[in-house]
Amino acid sequence: MIDLLESLCQWLDEISWKDIATVLSGFSTLAIAFLTILLWNENRLLRKAGSSPRVVAHFEIHPEGTGGINLALSNIGTGPALDISFEIEAEQDNFGKYSIQLDTSRQRAPMTLIAQGEKVSFLFGISFNLFKTTAGEEIPLKPFTVTVQWKSVGSKKLDCEKYTLDISQYAGLPGMLSK
């Protein structure tokens, strides 16, 4: 043990300040390289997050106040959504009992683009017709599922989300059924 301490002391006597500065410079270069890699990774994640669309399906009241209910696809993400398609999954027997304006059985080609913060909406039905059957029964349309698919810019991966829509969210609101 004493020999080891003597060797260490002799080695420390032989080291110059120049050698210590060289070692410290090497360690600081390694630290800077490590921090640069971390910064590069964070920038890549921020760039990816800055172009991540998210398309949601929802009902909205027709803007003209005619009592219409629109089905809307809104891009609430941070980038443009490409090749957007949707499919309505519902009991066709139940849908057949109501005056729904949108042809839910039709296959459609994907929409090219919904820009960030934008939406596409189309007439789904007239509010009072969605709360009673064509036979006159006062039963609201049953909830159904809308599956939405889209891509982000530069991605081949298809994102997919399912949303359950329920017309009964508008039940009892003044003016909804009277138009």
Side-chain angles (χ1 to χ4, degrees), residues 46-113:
L46 281 171
R47 216 174 24 253
K48 187 176 179 183
S51 63
S52 299
R54 179 140 190 249
V55 181
V56 296
H58 59 93
F59 283 133
E60 68 178 7
I61 298 170
H62 196 279
E64 292 179 7
T66 58
I69 301 290
N70 288 345
L71 178 61
L73 302 174
S74 298
N75 182 359
I76 61 169
T78 56
L82 306 173
D83 298 331
I84 307 98
S85 62
F86 71 97
E87 182 180 340
I88 295 176
E89 301 166 19
E91 298 174 23
Q92 290 303 321
D93 294 341
N94 184 49
F95 264 48
K97 295 179 184 177
Y98 296 87
S99 297
I100 296 174
Q101 302 297 313
L102 179 65
D103 182 3
T104 58
S105 62
R106 183 174 175 209
Q107 284 284 26
R108 294 171 182 80
M111 293 178 230
T112 306
L113 170 79

